[in-house]
Amino acid sequence: MRRVLRVELRRGTAPLAAAAMFGAGVWMLAVHPDDWGGRWAGLANYLRVSMLILCALMIAAGAWQSGRERRRDIDELIASTPRPGWQPLVVTWLAVTLAGAAGVLVAFAGAAVLVARVATYSGGGWWWTLAVGVLALAAAVAVGVLVGRLVPLRAVAPIAGLATYLGLAIVIYWDGTSAAWLSPVYGGWAVYSLVPERVTALQAAWLVTLTALLLAAAARQRRAALLAGGLAIAVAVPIIAGPGTHRLPADPAAVELVCTSSGPQVCLSRINAFLIDDVTTVVQPILERLDGIPGAPQRALDHSAQPTGQSAEQDDDTVWLNLDYQSTALGGLANPEHLLADFRQVTRARCENAFRAGRTDQGVFRTDTLATRWMLDDQAAVDDVPLARLRALPKPAQRAWFATYLDAADRCDVRTLIRLGQQP
């Protein structure tokens, strides 16, 4: 059996599966480095994101390999050998699984080298997320093997792959529900979320029993199929009855704050701490500009450490920075302008009726925009008369204007807001 496996790995569909999976893995990693850069949990989660493509390829490869005997008219010859009928099928499945998994893991190993250079947190059980992803690839090949045995058409492999892609894309809309755990595709949890060990174990058991069911059905082993099917249902029930993917607790160690030692305080979660120098370069000049102004924020914190249920407006002293998808492949800050956008929570009227249809609405909006541009020290355009007038005032007068604005915005004093926009 080992000799047959070696032959399959060298001459069957396995080499093509390995090459295709490696190429797909590299392509997926290159498309969105902001999803995984600098974070081990992000890299493991991104493998699960990639399952939308990878599972489709593995099913196509399994179907092509499994249908080989029928295409060559040697299925009856193989069935007449004294070897049990399920052994060649298992070898077929194992060869494609090993080759395909090796191909994608080599691609992700290259990304792991980049992550290892800068990562500041390695906990959280991300390796279990990665392991479940590998089991999902094995289950995908088993689907392909069954389809290839049932449908003797050459076109079945690409059709099965395309159908898998479309099916998993639809299942993505289950995100947030407990049924999403049955899908191999990433369930939408944040990189700093802590997936319970029980959920991970059930997910792994579900994929293993599903694989056994599919292989038993393909080999026409009725008793084994019934047993595996019963086990799969027994595992699926507690998964569906469990918590959804959007109700996961944060990993306390991952969201532990790491703060700057000088200047206005900037604190990032440990899992994002590799970005602290780049974030500080962007954020501290704004905080220094606001330092001492009544009502202005005095610090900036990573939003992953924000207490559950607390909105950005409930803490006047803090600007919450969203650092999701904010890393390059080499661990740098991907979009500094997104951090500037986070400061706009400071210059937003905080009452439900602040923006009503009509002239008042536009007046408040213009004042908010003026305050935002002053706060961020934007360059004034030639025709931006209000900002030019505000900049022409002495620095103490500018700061007093901004303090008055913050007070009026907090109280939703529409008249004062309009006046501040007209006469800075």
Side-chain angles (χ1 to χ4, degrees), residues 34 39 190-192 272 303-304 321-327:
D34 51 328
R39 307 172 182 95
V191 293
Y192 48 84
N272 294 325
H303 89 110
S304 63
L321 306 175
N322 189 338
L323 296 173
D324 294 344
Y325 316 112
Q326 268 285 49
S327 175

Side-chain angles (χ1 to χ4, degrees), residues 219-359:
R220 298 179 181 178
Q221 300 293 314
R222 185 175 179 180
R223 291 182 180 179
L226 289 174
L227 176 60
L231 292 174
I233 294 173
V235 172
V237 170
I239 290 178
I240 296 175
T245 57
H246 289 172
R247 292 188 293 154
L248 298 177
D251 180 0
V255 298
E256 179 184 350
L257 290 177
V258 177
C259 300
T260 54
S261 57
S262 61
Q265 190 179 55
V266 178
C267 298
L268 303 188
S269 296
R270 186 166 298 281
I271 197 170
N272 294 325
F274 65 96
L275 293 170
I276 195 164
D277 290 338
D278 291 344
V279 171
T280 298
T281 300
V282 176
V283 168
Q284 274 195 341
I286 303 174
L287 293 175
E288 290 172 351
R289 185 175 181 79
L290 300 178
D291 186 37
I293 296 178
Q298 304 301 312
R299 61 177 184 168
L301 302 184
D302 191 334
H303 89 110
S304 63
Q306 190 171 359
T308 303
Q310 177 178 315
S311 65
E313 291 82 4
Q314 289 177 307
D315 192 343
D316 293 337
D317 293 335
T318 304
V319 173
W320 296 100
L321 306 175
N322 189 338
L323 296 173
D324 294 344
Y325 316 112
Q326 268 285 49
S327 175
T328 64
L330 298 178
L333 186 64
N335 298 294
E337 63 276 8
H338 289 183
L339 297 183
L340 301 181
D342 289 334
F343 272 84
R344 291 175 183 169
Q345 63 192 252
V346 178
T347 54
R348 185 169 59 236
R350 302 180 182 181
C351 63
E352 295 181 359
N353 299 320
F355 298 101
R356 297 187 298 271
R359 186 177 300 175

Side-chain angles (χ1 to χ4, degrees), residues 364-395:
V364 173
F365 176 77
R366 281 194 297 268
T367 305
D368 288 343
T369 302
L370 175 60
T372 300
R373 299 194 65 189
W374 180 88
M375 176 180 62
L376 301 180
D377 200 21
D378 285 351
Q379 295 298 319
V382 176
D383 58 345
D384 194 345
V385 176
L387 183 58
R389 288 178 179 174
L390 182 58
R391 292 268 177 80
L393 297 175
K395 284 292 179 64

Side-chain angles (χ1 to χ4, degrees), residues 26 42 53 69 71 75-76 78 104 108 125 130 198 228 232 301:
V26 171
I53 300 294
E69 288 80 8
R71 292 194 302 272
D75 48 335
E76 292 184 1
I78 294 176
V104 73
F108 273 74
L130 184 67
R198 175 179 175 274
L301 302 184

Side-chain angles (χ1 to χ4, degrees), residues 50 143 346 357:
S50 305
V143 173
V346 178

Side-chain angles (χ1 to χ4, degrees), residues 74-88:
I74 60 173
D75 48 335
E76 292 184 1
L77 177 63
I78 294 176
S80 66
T81 62
R83 185 183 299 273
W86 59 267
Q87 287 189 5

Side-chain angles (χ1 to χ4, degrees), residues 89-100:
L89 182 138
V90 171
V91 170
T92 294
W93 163 78
L94 186 59
V96 177
T97 298
L98 291 177

